[in-house]
């Protein structure tokens, strides 16, 4: 050990010796102990708080908590005035502390105090002065503030380098939310899941509050809530647009970070989970004493009735407890070593997430927590799938990302979870964490290589068109292995994290000053092009160019093979004023401005987006279930996929490597693999898409036989108003002029 490390260890042990005095130094003397309540033995399963009828027909609640290394567990019950009563859980079965408490009914608020050693050098951080949230709580009542009392250590200890080793004995109960006992007897008998096949899916990423907060058709008292999203006015927009699934930004109970609260801000996105079974209480219009559970279910039912699936963005890679200097809210105080990955120096946390801690998914109890949570949301809350934030962190074994990891193996064999939609954000911030294309069958992935290629193509920054060819046709270079299909690629150009689509064509630099971090947060790699003017422009020429670029980007996305993902508001020109990291902006910067639909320009963008989605739904050639072969299937030489230069000739190897701003893609509807539900061959129209990113027009010769005899223009993004269909017909072999920066979609006629 170095001399500096020796000094820190000595200082820390001296601080721990003073830890028993911390309450006297930092707070008032202890109050009289609260009254105790007797408990019956109960059962160790299921984990959490379950209301039921016990022995002799007595109603009550069974409580069960895994706390592997703990020396004792107290259940704490709170009445309406906040007065606390305690129940000693005397039964211990396979490291699970449990007991049945007669008379405890739904709506009861509760928490835990867990006793054990305080020895941060070995990772032991038990502190019974801290009231802890049940990891299995199905509802949470109250907000998470972060006063000093909620930290297991003395946060303001003068020697900050050892502050995490000094135990704080002040009671945190008055300052933290409580779990709520919830009775759930809903069997979902009246629900009909859409069960949309992956290839037919169009995903719409939205924030429950941001989507509904300003919607004029939703009653004021329901805006920003699950009930607001279930309202017919909200669902009407989704149905008109044509999306098949909403992907909700995190709705697990989450907490706000200390650095945001100090600046008067909040965590708006919600990627700071602390309750994996509880719908976030702030999004409930009906109440937070269990009512949020029923409200969430009614939202899911309403969306299902409209044919829309519900996918949850879930954050199982880390929790809101941060690192050694973070608060003690739940897992840290239950069994820090059992739940989190620790470094060799067990005071410190392994951080593959950039958020201070990483859940130790290799541990059986952590894996159980995650899979129990996932199954709960499917079987009891009705959701249809999950998008896993920083999924590579979940796939790590002891250190490295391992596609045979326990987490992925358990998901693959689970009879409930293997049937739902599984989307990986296939990276984390640790070494070797970038895993795009590496997740096994059953999984789809956010494909950031698609995002980068499309952005670069439309700002004319690609050296050639090879990358674009792969991305438009399903990214076979990434996913054509192990039985994976084109729909393994979730294609996106924007997401919650980064510029909106309108900002992507209006700003080249981030403008995150409102976040209070000196514009240092957020990526600098935006791959954006502003048309020559930074920010909002008065010049109508610039504004028209930007609207054309929006049409180009949306058309490209919805014509590409794979699963398209739109971000809420991109279809109506939403802006965040150049903020590319609006995670802490719970205000008009992030909320959808529905007034945009009153502008004819944005009305036209919405109409085009809706029309493209409808076109995709009608034509199976645009949503293939298998990769293109690129080979001729018949004697006439017609292939299922062909690429053309502006000369109307098929691209050669040399053409793929040459600088180019124009690409023609031919999709044959005659050679679609697979059969329909009746076993018949699937036949469709054939299409030619011409993408031209050049700043001037280009002459393009339409390919002749066997590809087509004539072509009908279906989409022309150079036009502000598309109408139902432009309908212009060109004979094959004709040289047409493709306007600057435009997409033409032509249907093979005849």
């Amino acid at each position: 050990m170095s001399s500096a490390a020796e000094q820190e260890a000595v200082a820390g042990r001296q601080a721990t010796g003073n830890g028993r005095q911390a309450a006297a130094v930092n707070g008032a003397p202890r109050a009289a102990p609260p009254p105790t309540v007797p408990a019956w033995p109960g059962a160790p399963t299921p984990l959490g708080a379950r209301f039921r009828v016990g022995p002799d027909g007595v109603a009550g609640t069974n409580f069960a908590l895994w706390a592997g290394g703990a020396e004792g567990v107290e259940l704490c019950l709170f009445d309406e005035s906040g007065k606390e009563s305690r129940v000693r859980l005397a039964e211990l079965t396979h490291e699970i502390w449990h007991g049945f408490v007669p008379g405890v009914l739904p709506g009861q608020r509760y928490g835990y105090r867990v006793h054990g050693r305080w020895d941060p050098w070995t990772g032991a951080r038990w502190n019974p002065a801290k009231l802890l949230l049940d990891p299995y709580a199905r509802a949470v009542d109250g907000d998470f503030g972060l006063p000093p009392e909620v930290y297991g250590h003395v946060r303001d200890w003068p020697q900050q380098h050892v502050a995490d080793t000094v135990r704080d004995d002040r009671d945190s109960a008055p300052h933290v939310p409580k779990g709520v006992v919830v009775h759930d007897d809903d069997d979902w008998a009246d629900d009909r899941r859409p069960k949309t096949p992956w290839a037919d899916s169009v995903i719409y990423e939205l924030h429950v509050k941001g989507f509904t907060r300003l919607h004029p058709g939703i009653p004021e008292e329901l805006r920003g809530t699950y009930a607001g999203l279930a309202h017919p006015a909200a669902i009407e927009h989704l149905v008109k647009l044509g999306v098949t699934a909403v992907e909700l930004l995190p709705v697990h109970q989450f907490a706000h970070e200390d650095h945001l609260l100090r600046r008067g801000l909040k965590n708006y996105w919600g990627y700071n989970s602390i309750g994996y079974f509880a719908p976030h209480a702030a999004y409930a219009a009906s109440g937070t004493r269990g009512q949020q559970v029923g409200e969430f279910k009614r939202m899911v039912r309403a969306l299902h009735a409209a044919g829309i699936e519900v996918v949850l963005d879930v954050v199982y890679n880390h929790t809101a407890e941060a690192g050694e200097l973070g608060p003690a809210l739940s897992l840290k105080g239950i069994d820090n070593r059992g739940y989190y990955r620790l470094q060799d120096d067990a005071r410190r946390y392994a951080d593959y997430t950039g958020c201070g801690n990483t859940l130790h998914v290799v541990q059986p109890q952590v894996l159980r927590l995650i899979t129990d949570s996932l199954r709960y949301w499917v079987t009891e809350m009705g959701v249809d799938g999950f998008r896993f934030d920083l999924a590579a962190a979940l796939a790590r074994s002891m250190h490295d990302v391992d596609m045979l990891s326990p987490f992925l193996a358990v998901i693959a064999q689970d009879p409930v979870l293997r049937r739902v939609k599984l989307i990986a954000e296939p990276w984390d911030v640790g070494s070797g964490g970038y895993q795009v294309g590496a997740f096994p069958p059953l999984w789809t992935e956010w494909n950031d290589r698609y995002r980068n290629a499309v952005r670069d193509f439309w700002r004319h920054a690609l050296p050639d068109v090879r990358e674009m060819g792969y991305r438009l046709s399903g990214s076979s270079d990434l996913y054509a292995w192990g039985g994976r299909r084109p729909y393994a690629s979730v294609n996106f150009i924007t997401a919650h994290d980064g510029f909106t689509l309108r900002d992507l064509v209006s700003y080249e630099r981030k403008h995150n000053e409102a976040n209070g971090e000196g514009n240092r947060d957020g990526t600098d790699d935006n791959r954006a092009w502003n048309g020559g003017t930074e920010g909002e422009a008065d010049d109508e020429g610039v504004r028209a160019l930007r609207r054309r670029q929006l049409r180009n980007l949306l058309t490209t996305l919805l014509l590409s093979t794979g699963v398209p993902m739109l971000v809420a508001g991109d279809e109506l020109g939403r802006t965040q004023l150049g903020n590319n990291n609006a995670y802490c902006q719970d205000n008009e910067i992030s909320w959808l401005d529905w007034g945009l639909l009153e502008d004819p320009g944005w009305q036209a963008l919405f109409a085009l987006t809706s029309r493209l989605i409808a076109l995709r739904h009608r034509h199976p050639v645009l949503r293939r279930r298998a990769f293109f072969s690129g080979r001729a299937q018949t004697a006439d030489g017609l292939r299922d996929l062909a690429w053309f230069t502006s000369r109307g000739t098929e691209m050669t190897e040399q053409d793929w490597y040459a600088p180019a701003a124009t690409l023609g893609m031919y999709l044959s509807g005659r050679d679609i693999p697979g059969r329909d539900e009746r076993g018949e061959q699937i036949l469709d129209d054939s299409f030619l898409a011409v993408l031209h990113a050049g700043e001037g027009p280009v002459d393009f010769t339409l390919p002749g036989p066997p590809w087509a005899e004539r072509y009908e223009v279906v989409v022309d993004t150079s036009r502000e108003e598309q109408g139902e269909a432009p309908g212009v017909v060109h004979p094959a072999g004709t040289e047409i002029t493709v306007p600057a920066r435009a997409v033409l979609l032509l249907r093979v006629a005849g």
Side-chain angles (χ1 to χ4, degrees):
M1 184 186 295
S2 69
S3 60
E6 288 173 349
Q7 292 172 7
E8 179 175 323
V10 170
R13 288 186 171 88
Q14 290 173 345
T16 300
N18 293 331
R20 295 181 180 85
Q21 303 170 15
V25 171
N26 294 286
R30 291 181 183 275
T36 59
V37 177
W40 298 350
T45 58
L47 291 170
R50 291 294 184 96
F51 172 75
R52 63 180 176 83
V53 176
D56 301 323
V58 176
T61 299
N62 191 85
F63 295 89
L65 176 74
W66 182 90
E71 297 171 2
V73 172
E74 290 177 298
L75 167 69
C76 305
L77 306 175
F78 296 86
D79 67 14
E80 295 298 330
S81 69
K83 181 180 178 182
E84 177 182 353
S85 300
R86 295 187 185 179
V87 182
R88 187 173 70 88
L89 298 183
E91 302 296 325
L92 180 61
T93 305
H94 303 310
E95 299 186 318
I96 297 171
W97 301 79
H98 56 92
F100 178 85
V101 186
V104 170
L105 306 179
Q108 173 67 58
R109 298 183 303 154
Y110 72 100
Y112 290 107
R113 298 182 188 274
V114 182
H115 297 257
R117 292 184 304 111
W118 177 262
D119 187 12
W121 291 273
T122 62
R125 293 183 178 272
W126 284 285
N127 184 345
K130 307 306 166 184
L131 185 77
L132 305 172
L133 183 68
D134 179 3
Y136 280 72
R138 298 192 172 198
V140 175
D141 180 56
D143 294 323
F144 281 99
L146 293 179
E149 290 85 352
V150 306
Y151 291 76
H153 64 281
V154 180
R155 187 176 67 173
D156 301 323
W157 191 258
Q159 297 170 290
Q160 275 293 294
H161 64 291
V162 293
D164 70 289
T165 69
V166 186
R167 196 178 78 180
D168 187 320
D169 290 334
R170 288 174 292 183
D171 185 9
S172 70
H175 309 283
V176 294
K178 283 54 173 193
V180 180
V181 176
V182 175
H183 181 45
D184 187 2
D185 59 357
D186 194 333
D187 63 4
W188 287 89
D190 61 340
D191 182 63
R192 296 292 179 269
R193 294 177 184 262
K195 297 183 180 179
T196 307
W198 258 124
D200 301 339
S201 296
V202 178
I203 297 173
Y204 189 74
E205 186 194 46
L206 67 82
H207 189 285
V208 168
K209 183 174 183 179
F211 185 75
T212 61
R213 181 64 182 83
L214 300 177
H215 197 301
I218 299 174
E220 178 68 33
E221 66 274 13
L222 301 183
R223 296 178 188 175
T225 69
Y226 306 120
L229 184 53
H231 192 273
I235 292 178
E236 180 185 19
H237 180 80
L238 301 173
V239 172
K240 283 184 177 179
L241 188 58
V243 297
T244 68
V246 291
E247 182 177 304
L248 305 182
L249 267 67
V251 296
H252 288 164
Q253 185 70 43
F254 61 86
H256 306 291
E257 293 91 331
D258 179 66
H259 69 92
L260 292 178
L261 294 173
R262 288 172 182 264
R263 298 202 301 271
L265 299 171
K266 292 183 178 180
N267 187 319
Y268 170 70
W269 288 348
Y271 290 90
N272 206 36
S273 299
I274 196 62
Y276 290 130
F277 290 77
H280 188 61
Y283 299 156
S286 54
T288 61
R289 296 290 285 271
Q291 297 94 333
Q292 60 263 57
V293 177
E295 185 176 329
F296 184 93
K297 290 181 177 182
R298 290 188 292 275
M299 176 197 73
V300 173
R301 276 189 172 88
L303 289 163
H304 282 178
I308 298 170
E309 294 185 302
V310 178
V311 176
L312 301 188
D313 197 333
V314 290
V315 188
Y316 294 112
N317 54 78
H318 75 280
T319 75
E321 293 184 301
E324 59 270 15
L325 296 177
L329 306 175
S330 183
L331 306 181
K332 184 180 288 187
I334 294 171
D335 191 330
N336 187 56
R337 297 176 298 186
Y339 278 109
Y340 292 115
R341 290 180 179 267
L342 304 180
Q343 298 183 24
D344 292 338
D345 174 3
R347 275 180 62 192
R348 316 296 182 190
Y349 292 75
D351 184 8
Y352 296 112
T353 67
C355 300
N357 64 53
T358 307
L359 280 176
H360 201 352
V361 181
V362 173
Q363 298 277 23
Q365 64 276 3
V366 181
L367 191 57
R368 178 180 180 181
L369 171 68
I370 295 172
T371 53
D372 282 353
S373 168
L374 292 169
R375 282 189 292 268
Y376 170 74
W377 286 95
V378 173
T379 60
E380 299 192 41
M381 300 295 273
V383 307
D384 305 286
F386 305 93
R387 178 264 187 189
F388 292 81
D389 181 65
L390 299 183
L394 299 173
R396 290 184 181 270
S397 290
M398 295 312 295
H399 298 289
D400 296 334
V401 177
D402 179 6
M403 291 305 159
L404 298 176
S405 67
F407 172 74
L408 294 178
V410 166
I411 295 292
Q413 60 79 44
D414 189 284
V416 172
L417 301 180
R418 69 188 182 199
R419 298 201 307 266
V420 302
K421 286 181 164 63
L422 302 171
I423 306 171
E425 183 183 37
W427 50 78
D428 64 20
V429 302
S431 175
Y434 186 75
Q435 294 290 324
V436 172
F439 275 72
L442 289 184
W443 288 81
T444 65
E445 300 175 14
W446 271 24
N447 186 353
D448 68 328
R449 288 186 60 178
Y450 178 93
R451 175 198 65 197
N452 294 346
V454 172
R455 288 187 178 193
D456 282 346
F457 178 81
W458 284 112
R459 67 190 183 107
H460 202 187
L462 286 177
D464 51 53
V465 292
R466 285 177 296 156
E467 183 82 2
M468 199 61 178
Y470 276 122
R471 304 306 148 235
L472 290 170
S473 59
S475 296
S476 60
D477 57 329
L478 300 176
Y479 300 112
W481 63 272
R484 303 188 81 184
R485 299 299 183 93
Y487 47 78
S489 176
V490 174
N491 298 331
F492 68 103
I493 299 171
T494 57
H496 65 275
D497 187 2
F499 282 149
T500 68
L501 202 66
R502 177 176 170 182
D503 287 355
L504 186 67
V505 301
S506 304
Y507 298 87
E508 293 185 4
R509 303 183 303 277
K510 65 188 182 186
H511 296 267
N512 299 353
E513 291 81 6
N515 296 352
E517 300 177 38
N519 206 36
R520 295 184 300 274
D521 62 303
T523 183
D524 293 312
D525 183 20
N526 294 297
R527 299 172 189 251
W529 181 63
N530 61 19
T533 302
E534 184 73 359
E536 294 300 309
D538 295 326
D539 186 289
E540 182 52 38
V542 173
R543 291 154 66 98
L545 172 60
R546 290 174 176 178
R547 289 194 298 271
R548 179 183 294 197
Q549 286 290 79
L550 290 177
R551 295 192 293 272
N552 291 334
L553 291 163
L554 285 167
T555 302
T556 303
L557 175 65
L558 292 166
L559 295 182
S560 298
T561 301
V563 179
M565 186 185 80
L566 298 163
V567 177
D570 277 353
E571 76 281 9
L572 46 85
R574 183 175 76 90
T575 178
Q576 292 178 169
L577 304 177
N579 192 322
N580 74 353
N581 189 35
Y583 77 104
C584 56
Q585 297 299 323
D586 187 2
N587 50 47
E588 288 83 354
I589 291 176
S590 296
W591 303 340
L592 267 68
D593 177 6
W594 292 95
L596 291 166
L597 280 175
E598 299 175 4
D599 183 314
W602 302 127
Q603 288 175 4
L605 185 67
F606 173 82
L608 174 63
T609 308
S610 178
R611 185 163 167 264
L612 287 165
I613 292 174
L615 188 74
R616 186 180 182 91
H617 289 324
R618 286 198 305 270
H619 291 286
V621 72
L622 300 177
R623 42 187 174 82
R624 288 174 55 102
R625 288 164 166 76
F627 287 105
F628 295 97
S629 70
R631 296 187 295 272
Q633 305 294 323
T634 56
D636 61 10
L638 187 71
R639 294 191 295 281
D640 58 358
L641 174 68
W643 303 95
F644 290 91
T645 68
S646 61
R647 303 182 302 276
T649 58
E650 290 192 67
M651 292 184 67
T652 64
E653 187 76 8
Q654 183 178 357
D655 291 326
W656 283 111
Y657 285 85
T662 310
L663 183 63
M665 177 177 68
Y666 183 95
L667 306 173
S668 172
R670 197 177 72 178
D671 302 300
I672 302 173
R675 297 182 294 170
D676 66 17
E677 294 177 349
R678 294 182 175 84
E680 302 292 334
Q681 180 183 359
I682 299 173
L683 294 174
D684 194 13
D685 292 330
S686 298
F687 291 92
L688 175 68
V690 180
L691 292 81
H692 175 56
E695 54 188 43
V698 66
D699 293 330
F700 190 98
T701 301
L702 298 175
W707 310 104
E709 293 184 359
R710 59 187 183 276
Y711 298 86
E712 178 187 18
V713 178
V714 178
V715 174
D716 178 355
T717 63
S718 70
R719 298 160 57 105
E720 188 85 42
E721 298 285 346
Q722 295 290 312
E724 184 58 30
V728 178
V729 176
H730 299 286
T734 301
E735 185 178 82
I736 63 173
T737 299
V738 181
R741 298 190 177 92
V743 179
L744 293 184
L745 179 66
L746 304 102
R747 183 179 64 86
V748 173

